[in-house]
C-alpha cells in the first residue's frame, strides 16, 4: 500500500520575503515500472529531465548521460540491498596504489573491498606508471559501475633519500657507519651509502645533528663531514626504504631554516600538477603546506587551466609550520589530510594525537572533508592480522568521525592490501554502529560557514533536516545538489541515517565519495522537486534500494525546502 502522508516545509531565499511555512500533501506517484536490475543502470522512460548532464570524466569514456537513468556504484548497491540502508558504511576509505595493487584485477578487488578514492603518490613511480593506473581506475568505473575518485599527491620539496640503487630496502644496524652523500653515482652505490636529493645537504648539517629517516623509523647521528659526504652512525636501527624522507634535529628541536627556504610546490610538483590537470584527477593533495597562500595560488592556477576547474585541493598537514596557520590553511583548501607520518617527525610523537583531534574538529567546523592518514595498519605491510593497538587507532579516527581513513604502504607495497582494507571496513562499520546505538558521539557546535543569506539558509535547512532525521529516526536523507554543497552541509551534521546525494555530474559524484555518510548517485533532475522525488522513488524501488513505507527527508539546493515523506 502506498502511504500518502507527507510534510513539506518551504523556505524561500529572497531576503526581503517572510519565510512561509506550509504543509500540504504530495500526490502519491502511481508509476508502474519495468523491473530490470541486472544492469548497473535502471531506466525509467516516462519522465524527461530538463537538466542537461555534462560528463567530464577526463580522458576516460564518459558514462551514460541517459537522462532517465540513475548511477550508483555496484558495491554500495549490493550493500544497500543486503543490509538495508541504515547500516551502510559512513567512513570513506582511501587506498594508496603502488606495485602491490596497480593491476586491473587488484584495483578491482580494492574497489569491491570498499575503496572510495585511489591515491597516487607522485614521490614514487614515473608519470607513465601513474597514467596507466589512472586509466585502469577509469576503466573500472566505466565498465563496472564504480565511482572511485583519483587523488594525486605531490612529492613536495622536502629532503629525501635516493632510490637505493634498485634495492627494495636496506637494513641499518645499531652502531653502523653510513655515508649520506649528494654526489651523483653513475654506477652502483658503494656499500652503506645513501644518496640525498638536496644539494645543500652537506653544508647545512652539523656534526652532532640527529638525522631521522622516514619520520623516525631509523635514526642516525652525524659524526663527520667530508666534502659532499656526511658520515653518520646508526643510533636506532631499522629498514631504509627507497626515497624515504629525511629530517634533522639539533639540540632537541627540528631544524627548520632549510625547509623554510624550499618552495612548498617544487618545479617537479608543478609538472605533476599539470599532469593531474590534464588527466582531470578529482583531488590534488599538496604535501608540506605551510601557509594558506600556496593553496590559494594553486586553486587559481587550476581554475585558469582546468576546463571545469573542479579539482579539489587537499592540504596535507604534516609540517610544523602548518599548525600555526591551521584555520586559514583549511579555510583556503577544499579538504585536509592529517599526514601523521611526516607530522610525527616534525613534532614530538606524543603530540600527534592531539593535533589529529584538532585538525579533524576544525575541518568539520569549516565544512571541509578530512582524511586521517599513515600507519593506521602498518604491521599489515608484513602480517595478515593487525595489532590490537592499530585497531584501537582506527576506531579512534572513526569515533572522531573523520570523513576518511587512508592506507599507505599497507596497500601500496604490503603483502595484504585487501585484508588491510577489510579491517578498515569492518572496524568502521562496527564503531559506527556502536556510537549510533549508544549515542557515544559528542555534540559539536557548528559555526555558520556561509557568507551570503542564501548560503545561511542552506545551512539552516541542512542542520534542521539532519536534526529532524535523528529525532524522527528516518531511513534516509535525500539531497538534490548540483554542486555538491548541500550534500556536504548535511554530511557535516553527521546524522544517524545515510545521505543519498543526487547530483547531475559524474565528477561531483566522484568527489562526494570522499565525504562522510554520503552515498552519491548520478541522476539528472529538474527544478521540479515533486517530479524529482517521484522519479527517484521509482528508480530506487525498481532496483530494490528502497521500499514503500520507508521514511525519507528530502532537501534540495534548487528549491530551499525540507520535505518529510513515506516512500509511496
Ligand atoms: N607508485 C609507487 N611505486 C612504487 N612504490 C610505491 C609507490 N607508491 C608507494 N610506494 C611504496 O609504498 C610506501 C608507502 O607509501 P607512502 O606512504 O605513500 O609513501 P612514503 O613512504 O614515501 O611517504 C613507499 O615508501 C613506497 O615504498
Ligand atoms: C601521508 C603522508 O605523506 P607521504 O606519504 O606522501 O609522505 C604522511 O606523511 O603521513
Ligand atoms: K607525497
Ligand atoms: Mg608526508
Amino acid at each position: 500500500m502506498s502511504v500518502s502522508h507527507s510534510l513539506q516545509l518551504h523556505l524561500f531565499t529572497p531576503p526581503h520575503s517572510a519565510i512561509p511555512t506550509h504543509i500540504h500533501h504530495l500526490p502519491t506517484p502511481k508509476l508502474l515500472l519495468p523491473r530490470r536490475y541486472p544492469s548497473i543502470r535502471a531506466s525509467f522512460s516516462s519522465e524527461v529531465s530538463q537538466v542537461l548532464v555534462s560528463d567530464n570524466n577526463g580522458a576516460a569514456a564518459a558514462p551514460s548521460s541517459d537522462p532517465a537513468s540513475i548511477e550508483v556504484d555496484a558495491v554500495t548497491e549490493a550493500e544497500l540491498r543486503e543490509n538495508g540502508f541504515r547500516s551502510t558504511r559512513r567512513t570513506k576509505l582511501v587506498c594508496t596504489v603502488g606495485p602491490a595493487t596497480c593491476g586491473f584485477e587488484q584495483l578491482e578487488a580494492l574497489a569491491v573491498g570498499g575503496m572510495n578514492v585511489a591515491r597516487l603518490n607522485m614521490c614514487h613511480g614515473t608519470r607513465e606508471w601513474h597514467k596507466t593506473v589512472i586509466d585502469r581506475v577509469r576503466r573500472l568505473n566505466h565498465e563496472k559501475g564504480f565511482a572511485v575518485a583519483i587523488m594525486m599527491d605531490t612529492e613536495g620539496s622536502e629532503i629525501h633519500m635516493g632510490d637505493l640503487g634498485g634495492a627494495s630496502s636496506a637494513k641499518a644496524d645499531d652502531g653502523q657507519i653510513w655515508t649520506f652523500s649528494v654526489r651523483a653515482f653513475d654506477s652502483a652505490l658503494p656499500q652503506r651509502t645513501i644518496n640525498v636529493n638536496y644539494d645543500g645537504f652537506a653544508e647545512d648539517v652539523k656534526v652532532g645533528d640527529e638525522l631521522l629517516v622516514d619520520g623516525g623509523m631509523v635514526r642516525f647521528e652525524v659524526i663527520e663531514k667530508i666534502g659532499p659526504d656526511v658520515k653518520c652512525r646508526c643510533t636506532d636501527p631499522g629498514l631504509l626504504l627507497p626515497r624515504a624522507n629525511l629530517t634533522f634535529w639539533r639540540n632537541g628541536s627540528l631544524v627548520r631554516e632549510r625547509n623554510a627556504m624550499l618552495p612548498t610546490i617544487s618545479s617537479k610538483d608543478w609538472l605533476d600538477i599539470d599532469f593531474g590537470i590534464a588527466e582531470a584527477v578529482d583531488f590534488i593533495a599538496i604535501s608540506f603546506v605551510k601557509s594558506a597562500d600556496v593553496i590559494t595560488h594553486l586553486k587559481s592556477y587550476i581554475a585558469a587551466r582546468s576546463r571545469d576547474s573542479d579539482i579539489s585541493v587537499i592540504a596535507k598537514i604534516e609540517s610544523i609550520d602548518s599548525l600555526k596557520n591551521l584555520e586559514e590553511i583549511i579555510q583556503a583548501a577544499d579538504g585536509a589530510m592529517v599526514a601523521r607520518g611526516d607530522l610525527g617527525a616534525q613534532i614530538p610523537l606524543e603530540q600527534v594525537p592531539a593535533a589529529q583531534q584538532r585538525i579533524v574538529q576544525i575541518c568539520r567546523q569549516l565544512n571541509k572533508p578530512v582524511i586521517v592518514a599513515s600507519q593506521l595498519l602498518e604491521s599489515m605491510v608484513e602480517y595478515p592480522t593487525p595489532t590490537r593497538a592499530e585497531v584501537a587507532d582506527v576506531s579512534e579516527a572513526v569515533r572522531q568521525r573523520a570523513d576518511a581513513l587512508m592506507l599507505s604502504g599497507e596497500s601500496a607495497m604490503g603483502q595484504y592490501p585487501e585484508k588491510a582494507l577489510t579491517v578498515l571496513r569492518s572496524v568502521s562499520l562496527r564503531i559506527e554502529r556502536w556510537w549510533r546505538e549508544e549515542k557515544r558521539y559528542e555534540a559539536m557546535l557548528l559555526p555558520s560557514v556561509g557568507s551570503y543569506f542564501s548560503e545561511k539558509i542552506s545551512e539552516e535547512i541542512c542542520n534542521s533536516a539532519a536534526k529532524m532525521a535523528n529525532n524522527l529516526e528516518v531511513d534516509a536523507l535525500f539531497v538534490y545538489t548540483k554542486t555538491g554543497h548541500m550534500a556536504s552541509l548535511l554530511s557535516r551534521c553527521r546524522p544517524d541515517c545515510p545521505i543519498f546525494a543526487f547530483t547531475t555530474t559524474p565528477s561531483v559524484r566522484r568527489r562526494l565519495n570522499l565525504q562522510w555518510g554520503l552515498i552519491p548517485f548520478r541522476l539528472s533532475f529538474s527544478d521540479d522537486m515533486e517530479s524529482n522525488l517521484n522519479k527517484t522513488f521509482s528508480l530506487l524501488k525498481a532496483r530494490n534500494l528502497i521500499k514503500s513505507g520507508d521514511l525519507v527527508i528530502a532537501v534540495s539546493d534548487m528549491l530551499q525546502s525540507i520535505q518529510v515523506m513515506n516512500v509511496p
Side-chain angles (χ1 to χ4, degrees):
M1 204 203 87
S2 50
V3 184
S4 60
H5 168 78
S6 102
L7 164 73
Q8 192 169 29
L9 306 169
H10 284 294
L11 305 179
F12 294 99
T13 326
H16 52 270
S17 74
I19 296 174
T21 304
H22 62 269
I23 297 176
H24 73 247
H25 292 270
L26 268 186
T28 307
K30 289 194 183 61
L31 301 161
L32 278 177
L33 283 162
R35 289 173 73 87
R36 34 172 151 130
Y37 36 98
S39 75
I40 295 298
R41 299 181 187 97
S43 294
F44 174 58
S45 54
S46 70
E47 287 196 43
V48 180
S49 164
Q50 297 144 31
V51 179
L52 279 178
V53 178
S54 102
D55 279 331
N56 53 7
N57 204 11
S64 155
S65 52
D66 175 0
S69 77
I70 191 163
E71 290 164 21
V72 63
D73 77 77
V75 174
T76 307
E77 184 169 13
E79 275 178 11
L80 278 169
R81 283 221 198 99
E82 224 166 89
N83 310 325
F85 41 72
R86 271 216 160 238
S87 55
T88 53
R89 173 169 46 84
R90 313 295 205 270
T91 311
K92 301 303 179 83
L93 306 175
V94 182
C95 301
T96 303
V97 179
T101 39
C102 60
F104 186 78
E105 281 78 26
Q106 292 162 324
L107 288 167
E108 184 176 4
L110 292 182
V112 169
M115 165 174 69
N116 301 102
V117 179
R119 167 184 179 253
L120 297 169
N121 189 349
M122 301 309 282
C123 189
H124 306 280
T126 60
R127 252 171 238 139
E128 293 67 51
W129 184 92
H130 290 288
K131 164 94 177 104
T132 309
V133 175
I134 293 172
D135 290 345
R136 285 179 186 154
V137 173
R138 292 273 161 75
R139 182 152 76 87
L140 195 59
N141 286 346
H142 186 62
E143 289 177 6
K144 315 258 173 167
F146 293 104
V148 175
I150 292 168
M151 174 180 296
M152 195 197 85
D153 191 327
T154 62
E155 175 170 340
S157 51
E158 298 293 286
I159 301 162
H160 59 76
M161 316 187 328
D163 56 12
L164 302 178
S168 62
S169 66
K171 178 86 183 18
D173 285 318
D174 200 15
Q176 268 180 353
I177 308 297
W178 284 67
T179 305
F180 288 76
S181 178
V182 297
R183 271 188 287 160
F185 297 95
D186 14 273
S187 53
L189 284 172
Q191 226 202 349
R192 290 185 199 156
T193 302
I194 297 288
N195 223 204
V196 178
N197 75 330
Y198 167 60
D199 287 341
F201 170 77
E203 274 164 57
D204 283 1
V205 296
K206 288 195 175 144
V207 170
D209 281 358
E210 199 182 4
L211 177 55
L212 274 68
V213 181
D214 201 4
M217 301 314 285
V218 188
R219 280 170 207 254
F220 292 88
E221 185 193 333
V222 176
I223 52 168
E224 195 184 1
K225 301 207 296 184
I226 314 168
D229 296 345
V230 177
K231 301 259 178 225
C232 302
R233 181 191 297 113
C234 181
T235 51
D236 280 344
L239 270 192
L240 303 173
L241 295 174
R243 304 173 71 77
N245 201 264
L246 300 175
T247 32
F248 302 87
W249 286 61
R250 188 172 296 156
N251 306 323
S253 47
L254 181 75
V255 179
R256 292 152 63 175
E257 295 78 24
R258 184 194 33 254
N259 286 351
M261 306 284 287
L262 297 172
T264 300
I265 302 179
S266 69
S267 50
K268 189 247 182 194
D269 290 341
W270 283 115
L271 292 175
D272 287 337
I273 288 166
D274 286 342
F275 165 80
I277 294 172
E279 290 298 319
V281 298
D282 302 291
F283 300 96
I284 295 183
I286 297 297
S287 297
F288 298 103
V289 172
K290 296 180 186 73
S291 64
D293 16 303
V294 70
I295 301 286
T296 315
H297 182 60
L298 176 62
K299 281 184 65 87
S300 48
Y301 184 84
I302 292 172
R305 272 157 192 81
S306 151
R307 196 166 29 101
D308 304 300
S309 71
D310 53 4
I311 300 176
S312 289
V313 174
I314 305 292
K316 289 173 70 185
I317 308 301
E318 54 185 341
S319 155
I320 187 170
D321 299 301
S322 64
L323 295 176
K324 296 193 301 275
N325 312 318
L326 216 45
E327 277 88 355
E328 292 119 79
I329 291 172
I330 293 170
Q331 184 64 59
D334 302 305
M337 183 194 293
V338 190
R340 307 186 302 181
D342 286 296
L343 186 61
Q346 301 226 343
I347 61 174
L349 272 184
E350 60 275 18
Q351 289 176 18
V352 174
Q356 171 178 324
Q357 160 122 4
R358 183 166 157 240
I359 298 162
V360 169
Q361 180 164 348
I362 293 175
C363 283
R364 173 114 170 262
Q365 287 175 331
L366 297 178
N367 193 30
K368 311 282 178 171
V370 62
I371 306 161
V372 173
S374 293
Q375 297 185 345
L376 284 160
L377 297 172
E378 190 68 15
S379 75
M380 292 191 78
V381 168
E382 279 178 81
Y383 302 100
T385 314
T387 67
R388 278 58 178 158
E390 286 166 342
V391 171
D393 179 46
V394 173
S395 303
E396 176 58 10
V398 173
R399 201 197 58 78
Q400 289 174 349
R401 301 205 274 173
D403 288 85
L405 309 176
M406 189 173 109
L407 295 176
S408 296
E410 303 93 328
S411 56
M413 49 77 162
Q415 308 266 327
Y416 305 98
E418 289 166 44
K419 281 205 162 102
L421 188 59
T422 303
V423 172
L424 287 191
R425 201 182 61 225
S426 49
V427 175
S428 300
L429 279 167
R430 191 64 194 86
I431 299 301
E432 291 166 1
R433 206 175 91 202
W434 175 64
W435 60 245
R436 270 199 308 279
E437 287 169 357
E438 309 209 3
K439 302 270 184 253
R440 283 291 173 156
Y441 46 89
E442 301 106 45
M444 187 185 283
L445 197 67
L446 298 177
S448 172
V449 284
S451 353
Y452 303 104
F453 189 66
S454 65
E455 289 174 345
K456 288 185 201 293
I457 294 181
S458 298
E459 231 174 279
E460 291 297 333
I461 286 178
C462 290
N463 294 346
S464 307
K467 195 165 161 214
M468 285 168 76
N470 291 350
N471 293 346
L472 299 173
E473 297 186 6
V474 307
D475 295 294
L477 276 156
F478 280 15
V479 53
Y480 296 82
T481 173
K482 285 177 186 165
T483 61
H485 186 61
M486 282 283 265
S488 67
L489 286 172
L490 278 180
S491 160
R492 178 190 190 218
C493 297
R494 306 294 194 253
D496 287 346
C497 67
I499 305 158
F500 285 33
F502 304 101
T503 182
T504 48
T505 43
S507 61
V508 173
R509 180 180 157 218
R510 284 195 304 272
R511 277 206 312 274
L512 292 181
N513 226 349
L514 180 65
Q515 299 190 26
W516 190 96
L518 297 182
I519 303 177
F521 292 80
R522 201 194 68 83
L523 174 79
S524 44
F525 50 77
S526 69
D527 287 345
D528 174 3
M529 272 301 279
E530 200 168 305
S531 100
N532 291 339
L533 284 167
N534 290 344
K535 175 176 171 174
T536 314
F537 289 153
S538 305
L539 290 168
L540 294 178
K541 279 167 79 176
R543 292 167 70 162
N544 265 358
L545 297 178
I546 57 169
K547 57 185 188 312
S548 283
D550 284 343
L551 187 59
V552 165
I553 292 185
V555 300
S556 94
D557 59 13
M558 293 91 60
L559 173 70
Q560 294 189 307
S561 69
I562 299 178
Q563 290 166 275
V564 186
M565 75 215 77
N566 286 105
V567 175

